[in-house]
């Protein structure tokens, strides 16, 4: 095992170490430091404040006037020009002159009442006697001292007492706001139980009701009102060493459609998995929602709606805001910040990925992460059904981001395995959209991402007819439409195949193409089934079937960790294939015996470390990794870099 000191590079740049971005002298002190924005800055020259906090230093962060001018010309500024100065000069400090605006960030030691209310440093009753003395906590806590393990036991009992999933979600969010380390310890220790609470399906309901349950803002909101000022908005975020941003514009939240600004639950949820499942430090994670309006009438008419009450901006207005955002992120956080696009509608998702994949470290989870996970599941499933990937025929219900993303990665993998041209391989893969089977006679009217899948065939409207005519071995649901794998469809799959592979990927549970019970019952216990949102085990004719969860949550945390720890600057398809191979290798015989084609989430941190190692190794091989020299044992290195939620001792 590598000692934590071998991860100094990452500690300093943010992965495993304490939250800071200060000079060496301050970094050595292990007190509960806070960075805060003070006004007016001239008062903050040192000494104690009312709450016993000691102001250690006043930092001045300069903002060149040119970069924050509020006209729309910012969007036209060349990327290189706007990024001038680079990551070492993120606030323009190096070139600050008297005519530059500055943000008066200051550093203080949190203590007393303030410390108890700081989620990053609060430990509740776990503060030791010594810490209670040193940090002005006497009398602010009842006398007992209890360890974090006991707090976890108490919290899980507390969460379990709620019957309604949304109440569990709110209790978890409340904990995250009060005591971040306890939140992550609880989530990691009870990952199988709590994943459905902080993630799909409950996060979907939370987004739908975000306006009602909204207590404290989480993440960063960038709306059309901030056009021309996005650099300033990013500078309002208190953490400086950001390594992963998950961003949505809320237009396709799970299979629930346009939830506008309320989509914020998704970046918040995804990033909590980056930390819990992938070990990326919470302060290095930044959830962002871009608010360009919503076309959801219900929200537009809801007085509690938290977003802009206007219809969605499109075309140039949308593109300009996104471009300003992308440029500002690079200027503020540098070349190596990972930007994960999440739950954009497909008419923007493919274009954004294409536009920024050569200039930024971008990754679309719905297109690419999902593809990597599903390919892993299919490769694992071959152990149960036999043959190679190339021996199979695939049919999708849904030809959007997830459907065509998965289809393309399967085709790429088969093409690599068989040396057959991609165009030939694609003929094994068929997709159905809302208008029926995608066939060549529809080519002219198809969106660009569907065109490669328009094969020669007569038009077919119904899925069951497509199944009977194409005779697929694998059926994948990516339609966002619940109960579309009907009894007829599953019976047709089961009459064609001894062991039909049926993946019902749409989220949340209400949108799943079928339930686990339906898949096992209608296939008479022969289906190899996995779903995007979890289903409980099913008993059929005396045998218990455990459905797996085919969700991109298996990949993105480890994938992101691999990129970050290797300093990778661009995402390449081979990195997705590497992640997929790593995940498939984690499925054990014991899992197969239960019919599982994905490993359980219980061991996900180990799995993420292996995924990270494979992704990083491939990045080094392709010359995309900038962290040199390459660590000798990448899996050990990945583990040594992972954030652990155990409380730190304060001197
Ligand atoms: N398990 C996982 O990890 C993931 C799951 N998903 C889930 O997949 C679903 C789809 O996401 P995404 O691909 O991004 O969405 P898109 O909107 O990009 O694609 C949806 C596709 O489904 C088609 N469709 C809609 N209704 C029907 C219908 N009744 N019959 C046939 N096809 C239909 C649409 O057709 P048309 O083009 O004609 O409109 C479109 O091609 C969502 O529920 C999402 O939650 C997504 C990512 C990851
Ligand atoms: C899982 C996921 O990313 C989705 O359903 O959109
Ligand atoms: Mg998604």
């Amino acid at each position: 095992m590598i000692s934590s000191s071998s991860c100094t590079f990452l500690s300093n740049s943010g992965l495993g170490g304490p939250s800071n971005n200060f000079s060496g002298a301050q970094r050595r002190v292990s007190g509960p430091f806070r960075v805060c924005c003070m006004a007016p800055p001239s008062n903050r020259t040192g000494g104690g404040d009312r709450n016993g906090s000691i102001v250690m230093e006043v930092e001045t962060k300069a903002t060149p006037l040119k970069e924050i001018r509020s006209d729309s010309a910012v969007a036209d500024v060349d990327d290189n020009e706007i990024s001038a100065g680079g990551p070492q000069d993120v606030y323009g400090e190096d070139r600050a002159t008297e005519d530059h605006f500055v943000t008066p960030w200051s550093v203080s030691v949190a203590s007393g009442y303030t410390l108890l209310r700081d989620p990053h440093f609060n430990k509740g009753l776990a503060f030791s006697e010594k810490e209670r003395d040193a940090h002005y906590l006497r009398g602010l806590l009842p006398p007992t001292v209890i360890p974090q393990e006991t707090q976890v036991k108490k919290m899980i009992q507390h969460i379990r007492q709620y019957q309604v999933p949304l109440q569990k979600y709110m209790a978890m969010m409340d904990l995250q706001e009060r005591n971040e380390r306890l939140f992550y310890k609880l989530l990691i220790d009870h990952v199988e139980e709590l994943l459905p609470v902080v993630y799909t399906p409950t996060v979907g309901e939370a987004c739908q009701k975000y306006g009602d349950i909204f207590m404290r803002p989480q993440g960063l909101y960038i709306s059309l009102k901030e056009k021309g000022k996005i650099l300033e908005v990013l500078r309002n975020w208190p953490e400086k060493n950001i390594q992963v941003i998950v961003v949505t514009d809320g237009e396709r939240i799970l299979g629930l459609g346009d939830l506008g600004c309320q989509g914020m639950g998704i970046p918040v949820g995804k990033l909590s998995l980056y930390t819990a499942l992938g070990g990326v430090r919470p302060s290095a994670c930044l959830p962002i929602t871009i608010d360009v309006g919503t076309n959801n009438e219900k929200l537009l008419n809801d007085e509690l709606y938290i977003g802009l009450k206007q219809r969605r901006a499109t075309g140039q207005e949308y593109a300009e805001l996104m471009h300003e955002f992308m440029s500002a992120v690079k200027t503020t956080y540098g070349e190596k910040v990972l930007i994960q696009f999440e739950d954009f509608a497909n008419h923007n998702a493919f274009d954004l990925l294409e536009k920024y994949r050569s200039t930024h470290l971008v990754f679309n989870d719905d297109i690419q992460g999902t593809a990597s996970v599903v390919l892993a599941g299919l490769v694992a499933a071959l152990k149960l059904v036999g043959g190679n990937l190339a021996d199979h025929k695939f049919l999708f219900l849904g030809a959007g981001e997830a459907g065509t993303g998965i289809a393309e990665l399967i085709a790429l993998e088969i093409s690599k395995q068989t040396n057959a041209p991609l165009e030939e391989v694609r003929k094994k893969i068929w997709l159905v959209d809302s208008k029926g089977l995608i066939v060549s006679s529809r080519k002219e009217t198809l969106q660009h991402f569907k065109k490669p899948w328009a094969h020669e065939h007569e038009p077919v409207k119904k899925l069951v007819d497509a199944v009977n005519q194409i005779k697929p071995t694998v059926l994948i649901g990516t339609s966002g439409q619940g109960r579309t794998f009907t009894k007829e469809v599953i019976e047709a799959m089961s009459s064609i195949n001894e062991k039909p592979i049926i993946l019902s990927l749409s989220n949340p549970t209400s949108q799943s193409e079928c339930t686990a019970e339906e898949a096992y019952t209608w296939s008479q216990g022969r289906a190899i089934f996995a779903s995007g949102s979890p289903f409980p085990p099913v008993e059929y004719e005396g045998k218990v079937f455990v459905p797996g969860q085919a969700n991109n949550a298996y990949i993105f945390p480890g994938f992101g960790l691999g990129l970050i720890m290797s300093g990778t600057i661009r995402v390449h398809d081979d990195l997705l294939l590497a992640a997929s191979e790593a995940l498939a290798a984690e499925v054990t015989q014991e899992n197969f015996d239960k019919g599982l084609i994905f490993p359980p989430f219980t061991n996900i941190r180990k799995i993420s470390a292996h995924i990270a190692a494979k992704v990083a190794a491939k990045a080094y091989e392709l010359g995309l990794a900038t962290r040199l020299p390459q660590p000798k044992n990448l899996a050990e290195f990945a583990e040594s870099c992972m954030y652990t939620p155990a409380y730190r001792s304060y001197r």
Side-chain angles (χ1 to χ4, degrees):
M1 188 72 188
I2 292 179
S3 72
S4 57
S5 61
S6 59
C7 203
T8 317
F9 168 89
L10 292 163
S11 295
N12 291 347
S13 67
L15 238 190
S19 165
N20 62 53
N21 66 328
F22 313 120
S23 63
Q26 281 118 32
R27 201 177 283 130
R28 279 194 295 275
V29 182
S30 62
F33 282 120
R34 294 304 306 146
V35 185
C36 33
C37 181
M38 303 272 181
S42 53
N43 298 339
R44 318 305 306 177
T45 51
D49 72 5
R50 199 162 52 90
N51 295 321
S53 296
I54 304 153
V55 176
M56 299 290 292
E57 184 198 7
V58 175
E59 286 197 312
T60 53
K61 321 282 188 181
T63 306
L65 289 172
K66 184 187 75 177
E67 290 181 5
I68 61 161
R69 67 192 176 197
S70 60
D71 60 34
S72 62
V74 169
D76 299 323
V77 174
D78 178 69
D79 265 357
N80 292 331
E81 187 193 345
I82 211 168
S83 299
Q88 295 309 313
D89 187 23
V90 290
Y91 298 100
E93 287 163 57
D94 293 349
R95 52 193 168 144
T97 61
E98 282 178 14
D99 60 348
H100 282 64
F101 291 127
V102 296
T103 308
W105 288 105
S106 71
V107 184
S108 62
V109 179
S111 62
Y113 196 76
T114 315
L115 178 55
L116 291 182
R117 270 148 192 79
D118 186 329
H120 302 295
F121 296 109
N122 181 26
K123 307 193 215 178
L125 292 178
F127 279 109
S128 68
E129 299 288 354
K130 197 169 149 248
E131 286 169 335
R132 291 174 189 213
D133 283 332
H135 294 279
Y136 306 90
L137 295 170
R138 284 276 163 216
L140 300 183
L141 290 164
T144 189
V145 176
I146 60 168
Q148 196 181 20
E149 279 64 29
T150 312
Q151 290 180 311
V152 168
K153 262 194 225 159
K154 188 187 139 195
M155 269 317 294
I156 195 70
Q157 279 166 13
H158 173 71
I159 302 281
R160 282 176 187 156
Q161 81 185 355
Y162 291 113
Q163 298 302 312
V164 179
L166 193 61
Q167 287 177 332
K168 291 181 195 261
Y169 175 89
M170 288 166 69
M172 285 300 283
M173 291 303 107
D174 185 54
L175 179 61
Q176 192 176 20
E177 289 291 318
R178 274 190 293 116
N179 183 335
E180 188 176 82
R181 283 182 179 268
L182 187 55
F183 168 83
Y184 282 112
K185 178 106 178 82
L186 185 68
L187 185 51
I188 291 167
D189 289 359
H190 297 274
V191 65
E192 295 265 3
E193 181 175 349
L194 294 177
L195 212 54
V197 176
V198 298
Y199 190 54
T200 184
T202 312
V203 71
E205 188 184 357
C207 289
Q208 288 175 309
K209 299 178 179 162
Y210 218 68
D212 299 344
I213 65 174
F214 184 84
M215 306 285 264
R216 263 164 294 190
Q218 292 174 294
L220 206 55
Y221 292 88
I222 298 178
S223 78
L224 287 170
K225 285 190 201 170
E226 280 73 54
K227 193 166 192 295
K229 299 183 222 164
I230 297 180
L231 270 173
E232 275 180 273
V233 175
L234 292 180
R235 284 175 183 144
N236 289 343
W237 188 251
E239 304 293 348
K240 303 300 157 211
N241 279 327
I242 298 300
Q243 294 177 319
V244 192
I245 290 172
V246 176
V247 59
T248 188
D249 72 356
E251 193 169 1
R252 195 286 277 143
I253 295 298
L254 307 178
L256 301 170
D258 183 352
L259 297 184
C261 197
Q262 302 195 165
M264 181 57 103
I266 294 294
V268 167
K270 291 270 176 186
L271 282 165
S272 66
L273 303 198
Y274 258 105
T275 298
L277 278 47
V280 179
R281 194 165 49 79
S283 58
C285 298
L286 173 54
I288 296 185
T289 294
I290 306 276
D291 185 354
V292 294
T294 178
N295 295 339
N296 183 325
E297 292 299 336
K298 197 166 162 237
L299 293 179
L300 287 172
N301 294 318
D302 180 353
E303 64 173 352
L304 294 179
Y305 178 54
I306 58 169
L308 287 184
K309 287 203 174 182
Q310 64 170 75
R311 298 191 77 75
R312 279 187 177 272
T314 56
Q316 197 180 344
E317 193 180 7
Y318 180 86
E320 279 181 8
L321 192 77
M322 284 307 297
H323 190 65
E324 184 188 338
F325 166 70
M326 295 301 289
S327 301
V329 164
K330 202 161 149 183
T331 303
T332 309
Y333 304 117
E335 185 84 18
K336 290 179 226 165
V337 62
L338 172 62
I339 304 171
Q340 175 166 319
F341 293 121
E342 193 69 52
D343 290 11
F344 283 74
N346 61 38
H347 54 92
N348 290 317
F350 287 99
D351 294 350
L352 287 169
L353 186 59
E354 195 49 39
K355 184 168 176 186
Y356 293 106
R357 70 189 310 169
S358 58
T359 56
H360 292 66
L361 182 65
V362 289
F363 164 68
N364 184 302
D365 188 35
D366 301 300
I367 301 171
Q368 299 172 294
T370 314
S372 187
V373 166
V374 172
L375 178 60
L378 294 175
V379 168
L382 294 177
K383 290 242 172 68
L384 295 172
V385 295
N388 296 313
L389 269 186
D391 302 327
H392 287 267
K393 210 186 261 187
F394 307 84
L395 179 66
F396 288 78
L397 183 73
E401 295 166 65
T404 62
I406 301 164
E408 194 61 33
L409 203 68
I410 294 174
L412 183 64
E413 177 63 15
I414 297 177
S415 167
K416 279 183 185 263
Q417 284 180 8
T418 60
N419 284 326
L422 208 49
E423 301 73 50
E424 273 308 302
V425 175
R426 286 195 183 116
K427 291 180 185 158
K428 295 175 184 298
I429 304 174
W430 296 79
L431 292 98
V432 171
D433 66 9
S434 64
K435 297 188 178 64
L437 190 64
I438 295 183
V439 290
S440 48
S441 56
R442 293 179 54 196
K443 202 157 187 173
E444 290 312 306
T445 57
L446 290 173
Q447 288 154 286
H448 64 89
F449 49 87
K450 292 180 184 170
K451 286 187 198 280
W453 310 101
H455 309 317
E456 286 300 327
H457 198 284
E458 64 188 29
V460 180
K461 280 270 177 242
K462 287 171 64 185
L463 177 64
V464 66
D465 295 335
V467 170
N468 284 321
Q469 291 180 36
I470 306 289
K471 302 200 184 317
T473 54
V474 179
L475 178 66
I476 302 180
T478 51
S479 64
Q481 303 298 314
R483 304 299 180 272
T484 36
F485 289 173
T486 57
K487 188 163 186 267
E488 251 188 320
V489 167
I490 290 180
E491 283 177 352
M493 280 298 289
S494 310
S495 71
I496 297 162
N497 302 286
E498 161 90 30
K499 288 182 179 170
I501 299 175
I502 297 173
L503 307 181
S504 172
L505 299 184
S506 293
N507 297 315
T509 317
S510 58
Q511 310 310 111
S512 187
E513 281 79 6
C514 66
T515 65
E517 189 168 9
E518 288 166 347
Y520 293 123
T521 309
W522 293 338
S523 69
Q524 296 161 333
R526 286 187 284 124
I528 294 166
F529 175 78
S531 53
S533 297
F535 281 106
V538 174
E539 198 179 324
Y540 176 76
E541 294 194 343
K543 196 174 166 200
V544 176
F545 294 86
V546 184
Q549 195 176 346
N551 194 293
N552 48 33
Y554 274 108
I555 289 282
F556 70 77
F559 187 78
L561 177 67
L563 300 177
I564 294 167
M565 73 183 210
S566 57
T568 293
I569 49 162
R570 297 288 176 262
V571 169
H572 186 284
D573 284 347
D574 284 359
L575 305 186
L576 299 169
L577 293 178
S580 206
E581 197 185 322
L583 178 58
E586 294 293 327
V587 192
T588 62
Q589 191 54 49
E590 193 192 336
N591 303 149
F592 286 128
D593 291 345
K594 290 183 187 154
L596 284 169
I597 53 172
F598 292 97
F601 272 107
T602 340
N603 294 330
I604 187 66
R605 281 167 75 91
K606 266 241 175 295
I607 295 171
S608 292
H610 288 155
I611 293 173
K614 288 279 185 209
V615 168
K618 184 54 81 176
Y620 279 107
E621 190 187 316
L622 296 174
L624 292 168
T626 61
R627 184 193 186 278
L628 296 171
Q630 175 178 344
K632 281 204 178 65
N633 185 328
L634 284 165
E636 281 185 2
F637 182 66
E639 280 194 53
S640 77
C641 293
M642 288 169 97
Y643 164 89
T644 54
Y647 289 139
R648 309 289 289 261
S649 297
Y650 306 148
R651 69 177 176 86

